[in-house]
Amino acid sequence: MPHSKETQLELLERMLLLRRFEERAGQQYGLGKIGGFCHLYIGQEAVAVGALTALRKDDHALSGYREHGHALARGTDPGAVMAELFGKSNGTTLGKGGSMHIFDSERGFHGGYGIVGGQIPLGAGMAWATKLKGQDSVTVCFFGDAAINQGVWHEVANMAELWGLPVIFVCENNKYGMGTEVSRAAAVPDVYKRASAYDMHGEKVDGMDVLAVRDAMDRLVLRARTTMKPALLEAACYRYRGHSMADPATYRTKEELEEYKKKDPIERLKTSMTAAGQLDEAAVKALEAKIKAQVDAAVKFAEGGTAPELHERFTHVYAGIEQYQGEGLKLDDFIDPHHVHIPTGKAPPTAGEA
Amino acid sequence: MALLSYRDALNQALHEEFARDDKVILLGEEVAQYQGAFKVSAGLLQKFGEKRVIDTPISEAGFVGMAIGAACLGIKPIAEVMTFNFAILALDQMINNAAKMLSMSGGQLSVPLVLRGPGGAAHQLASQHSQALESQYAMIPGLKVVLPATPADAKGLLKSAIRDPNPVVFIEGEALYPTKGEVPDGEYVIPIGKADIKRAGKDVTLIAWSRMTLVTLEAARLLEAEGIDAEVVDLRTVRPVDREAILTSVRKTNRAVVIEEAWPWATVGASIVDLIQREAFDDLDAPVLKLNGVDAPMPYAKNLEHAMLPNPDAIAVAAKKVLYR
């Protein structure tokens, strides 16, 4: 179905926001403002944007740990996401979740999860909950090509089809599970075919084409909403950066990367819109300026935030207990406030990879 | 008061909570049409229908994870595992998702879930079906861990667990299902985190939970015949633990034995001993002893099985040891 100029502009703007936000996050990581593991979404923007703009406000979504883009595509404030990456109390999860656990439940984005495939049962469970409550909401559960090799995918695919759950599993096949190429990890590298084992609808879409992703999702969301049936959508895509900031991605060739960059989802939409007379250089410039201002503001918001107070270690441990006391000895009783060790110079080394 | 089996007391709790709150659902292997592998869910399907009482495939990680996801959006699932030996398959979901959801979402999502089923040794079920695994949950902040010993406690605590806004691991004693006891008439709940003095005494404190409470009460009777007045503290909950009940009793008797079905290393029992030596050192007249199951997988043969777990005689000997008698 042809999309209106307005829709296409919205898709373009969202994708640009994801791209520029992640570029800045990578830069801030280099400056030491962001710690831990940080998995950038650059290259895959068409998938999150195409898929999540197909949803209603009362629909639900969740993802793995490469999820900054999914939160932004769902409408989460870039400042709150950046602040979370900075580990600040004005972040999406108050500085407790960090890069891998962005949550914005108010906007129907229920998290990034750090265990490969661990969110798959949660997504089906959320779809089950809305069905039990008599709602016609749909849940979209994102995961990568490596996650589909986890046992829970098979368990949950079976139950989702058996019980008729309105969940769409979007497998972002970016060709590599960390450094392992799909064909070295999967007996059936065509991920979407795995749905057939459970009589589930499965299909594949060009994940570098935002309009194609949006079309596929418009169909699948309507299908899930009206028939309460799950589906698996394989989005063939590519990440331009390494698995995480620590990964130089030496397991693939420069030529391969360049091939995919030629199919860049943002350039592709720009080109087709320009050809259709819906976009000109001035409009692109204006859009870039708008996004840059947004990302600048996000960094400023993050920089302006404060580190979480120490007592926040004991909040949100148990529901109904505002300030948990903790079992065992109180470490704080042994910390002499006059002799607190303040690390100077280089930050402690981070773990090599995950 | 009515004399009820542990199984029937649990069944009553389920029926009452299902009637009280239509967000409560039960899912698990054989819970619906079969009426439960141990008949704990008897009658639920007939009364509340297949939308709320759901038979699952044998996919523990999958259905426990789905229950967690449903709980995030306001359902109150009770996920039954046929035994806690199989719940090991869902440990990732419990530890990485259920226990951490509230924290890693910065308070946005909570998980009002009960994971329940039988645990502990039964009879001649051998190594994979006879294990006390509560310690692997008790170490995790974000979880609550409950192990009732009597029918009355089982009913009152299960009702509390279902109403709790947190993930509660509720381990029923597999060997306890047919045991009977007085259960109060009418509506009542027992708060999670409160121990119960199952026998008051002044000479020595015996601390236990789940089936070991009954074995310890038997030991107290043996000790009574020898003129020793033991106090039996039934923890009922091992996370959060009732520190005050433990310390009050130890300060009174000045001697303690912890009796635990699990293996001896790195367990709830070890943490109880740690608590007592730290908080009540000056009140102690003897080192605290900890009595555990034998540090080996459970064998099948009757005679070997019999020699694996703390029994009343062994507990009585341990009690006399801390009394230097």
Side-chain angles (χ1 to χ4, degrees):
Chain A
M1 209 183 80
H3 293 280
S4 69
K5 179 186 164 186
E6 287 67 35
T7 301
Q8 294 189 63
L9 271 177
E10 188 203 336
L11 298 173
L12 181 63
E13 183 173 337
R14 285 280 164 97
M15 287 198 295
L16 260 179
L17 172 65
L18 267 60
R19 174 73 52 96
R20 300 295 175 244
F21 180 95
E22 291 290 66
E23 285 169 352
R24 192 70 68 86
Q27 184 198 58
Q28 296 295 311
Y29 193 95
L31 294 171
K33 299 281 181 68
I34 298 170
F37 298 133
C38 186
H39 311 87
L40 300 181
Y41 197 62
I42 298 172
Q44 299 180 213
E45 295 89 350
V47 185
V49 170
L52 290 170
T53 54
L55 295 187
R56 290 194 321 219
K57 270 193 172 143
D58 62 341
D59 290 330
H60 303 277
L62 68 171
S63 180
Y65 45 75
R66 194 182 303 284
E67 91 290 22
H68 311 161
H70 302 100
L72 294 173
R74 195 77 176 113
T76 302
D77 172 38
V81 179
M82 191 65 85
E84 189 58 41
L85 303 186
F86 276 46
K88 297 289 185 69
S89 57
N90 56 343
T92 43
T93 64
L94 319 175
K96 291 190 181 187
S99 166
M100 294 187 282
H101 310 298
I102 305 287
F103 283 71
D104 187 1
S105 286
E106 213 173 287
R107 285 177 190 77
F109 184 68
H110 305 298
Y113 295 86
I115 308 298
V116 174
Q119 75 275 25
I120 296 174
L122 302 180
M126 288 174 184
W128 191 19
T130 58
K131 185 182 175 186
L132 282 169
K133 290 193 278 189
Q135 302 165 343
D136 69 344
S137 300
V138 169
T139 299
V140 179
C141 184
F142 294 90
F143 50 87
D145 47 86
I148 203 157
N149 296 323
Q150 288 278 25
V152 284
W153 150 257
H154 298 275
E155 296 185 11
V156 168
N158 180 44
M159 285 182 274
E161 185 66 32
L162 184 67
W163 297 344
L165 302 182
V167 56
I168 300 165
F169 301 106
V170 177
C171 179
E172 299 189 55
N173 184 354
N174 65 16
K175 284 192 75 173
Y176 296 90
M178 200 166 146
T180 302
E181 210 266 336
V182 175
S183 62
R184 293 203 296 124
V188 181
D190 281 327
V191 170
Y192 74 97
K193 289 183 182 168
R194 304 254 190 130
S196 65
Y198 304 99
D199 205 18
M200 187 193 292
H201 174 78
E203 64 179 89
K204 186 174 180 170
V205 69
D206 179 358
M208 305 296 279
D209 180 351
V210 71
L211 298 177
V213 175
R214 175 64 182 268
D215 282 341
M217 283 299 285
D218 279 340
R219 266 190 297 105
L220 294 178
V221 168
L222 181 67
R223 179 181 180 273
R225 212 186 292 292
T226 52
T227 67
M228 292 282 147
K229 283 284 196 183
L232 170 65
L233 178 67
E234 174 186 359
C237 55
Y238 202 77
R239 62 167 151 78
Y240 295 175
R241 301 286 181 91
H243 165 73
S244 72
M245 299 307 293
D247 171 25
T250 50
Y251 40 82
R252 58 189 195 186
T253 63
K254 261 191 183 148
E255 291 71 31
E256 183 181 283
L257 176 61
E258 291 312 317
E259 271 311 300
Y260 275 95
K261 282 188 173 175
K262 282 181 203 158
K263 302 175 195 163
D264 184 82
I266 295 172
E267 292 307 317
R268 190 157 165 177
L269 183 58
K270 274 193 207 165
T271 306
S272 68
M273 287 184 75
T274 305
Q278 293 164 325
L279 194 71
D280 58 27
E281 212 167 297
V284 171
K285 258 192 177 162
L287 196 54
E288 284 281 9
K290 181 181 169 189
I291 299 292
K292 184 179 181 302
Q294 256 182 298
V295 175
D296 286 347
V299 173
K300 208 170 167 200
F301 180 77
E303 279 174 341
T306 53
E309 301 277 346
L310 278 183
H311 77 85
E312 291 285 355
R313 291 172 298 166
F314 296 107
T315 58
H316 307 124
V317 180
Y318 287 97
I321 302 177
E322 204 162 308
Q323 195 69 27
Y324 176 56
Q325 294 303 307
E327 295 286 353
L329 275 181
K330 299 285 176 290
L331 176 65
D332 294 5
D333 294 344
F334 298 86
I335 295 176
D336 180 345
H338 302 293
H339 290 92
V340 178
H341 172 69
I342 298 164
T344 51
K346 275 192 170 176
T350 53
E353 194 43 71
Chain B
M1 287 282 205
L3 191 66
L4 279 185
S5 71
Y6 187 92
R7 175 200 328 274
D8 290 343
L10 289 165
N11 181 255
Q12 269 192 3
L14 289 174
H15 275 271
E16 289 177 16
E17 293 305 301
F18 260 73
R20 181 178 175 271
D21 184 351
D22 64 9
K23 292 279 190 293
V24 176
I25 63 169
L26 174 72
L27 69 157
E29 295 140 354
E30 309 290 4
V31 299
Q33 292 196 13
Y34 194 86
Q35 309 282 293
F38 294 89
K39 305 298 175 214
V40 174
S41 56
L44 280 178
L45 173 67
Q46 288 73 10
K47 198 161 171 191
F48 299 101
E50 57 186 15
K51 199 176 158 190
R52 294 178 64 193
V53 188
I54 304 107
D55 281 323
T56 65
I58 301 178
S59 305
E60 287 84 2
F63 76 73
V64 170
M66 286 173 64
I68 295 167
C72 286
L73 293 195
I75 301 296
K76 294 181 178 171
I78 304 166
E80 176 175 319
V81 283
M82 197 179 285
T83 80
F84 262 87
N85 307 294
F86 315 151
I88 297 170
L89 290 150
L91 256 189
D92 167 53
Q93 289 297 322
M94 288 304 293
I95 294 177
N96 281 317
N97 286 342
K100 293 170 176 65
M101 189 67 73
L102 187 71
S103 171
M104 70 183 174
S105 71
Q108 294 180 53
L109 295 179
S110 58
V111 182
L113 166 87
V114 178
L115 177 70
R116 53 157 289 273
H123 302 292
Q124 286 202 279
L125 297 181
S127 59
Q128 292 184 332
H129 285 70
S130 297
Q131 321 186 62
L133 297 169
E134 57 269 27
S135 296
Q136 65 185 354
Y137 299 100
M139 71 184 291
I140 308 294
L143 300 180
K144 295 184 178 182
V145 186
V146 180
L147 299 101
T150 65
D153 288 350
K155 180 176 174 184
L157 280 162
L158 182 54
K159 287 165 71 80
S160 285
I162 293 168
R163 296 179 194 184
D164 201 283
N166 295 287
V168 179
V169 177
F170 192 93
I171 305 180
E172 298 153 10
E174 184 163 335
L176 296 178
Y177 285 131
T179 59
K180 289 192 171 168
E182 296 285 349
V183 174
D185 298 320
E187 168 74 22
Y188 73 98
V189 292
I190 294 173
I192 291 173
K194 288 276 174 239
D196 184 44
I197 309 296
K198 284 287 191 288
R199 182 191 192 281
K202 61 179 182 354
D203 294 334
V204 59
T205 297
L206 306 179
I207 300 161
W209 57 94
S210 192
R211 192 174 77 86
M212 281 299 125
T213 299
L214 305 193
V215 179
T216 301
L217 283 167
E218 187 56 35
R221 283 187 279 276
L222 296 178
L223 290 165
E224 191 180 348
E226 298 189 46
I228 296 168
D229 188 16
E231 178 148 298
V232 177
V233 179
D234 175 12
L235 290 183
R236 302 195 292 195
T237 300
V238 298
R239 186 182 187 101
V241 82
D242 190 345
R243 295 159 49 98
E244 279 323 300
I246 295 168
L247 295 173
T248 302
S249 178
V250 171
R251 285 182 180 130
K252 180 172 75 173
T253 66
N254 314 112
R255 298 157 201 278
V257 180
V258 180
I259 300 101
E260 183 173 40
E261 183 174 318
W263 300 289
W265 201 246
T267 62
V268 169
S271 293
I272 306 293
V273 176
D274 163 57
L275 170 73
I276 296 170
Q277 67 81 23
R278 186 174 71 240
E279 301 288 333
F281 186 78
D282 291 339
D283 295 290
L284 288 173
D285 287 341
V288 180
L289 283 189
K290 185 165 71 69
L291 200 57
N292 288 82
V294 171
D295 195 21
M298 178 67 80
Y300 165 75
K302 241 181 200 171
N303 66 321
L304 295 181
E305 184 185 61
H306 186 70
M308 288 300 283
L309 299 181
N311 57 42
D313 291 330
I315 297 167
V317 170
K320 284 190 274 186
K321 194 161 179 169
V322 298
L323 282 156
Y324 297 108
R325 286 168 65 165

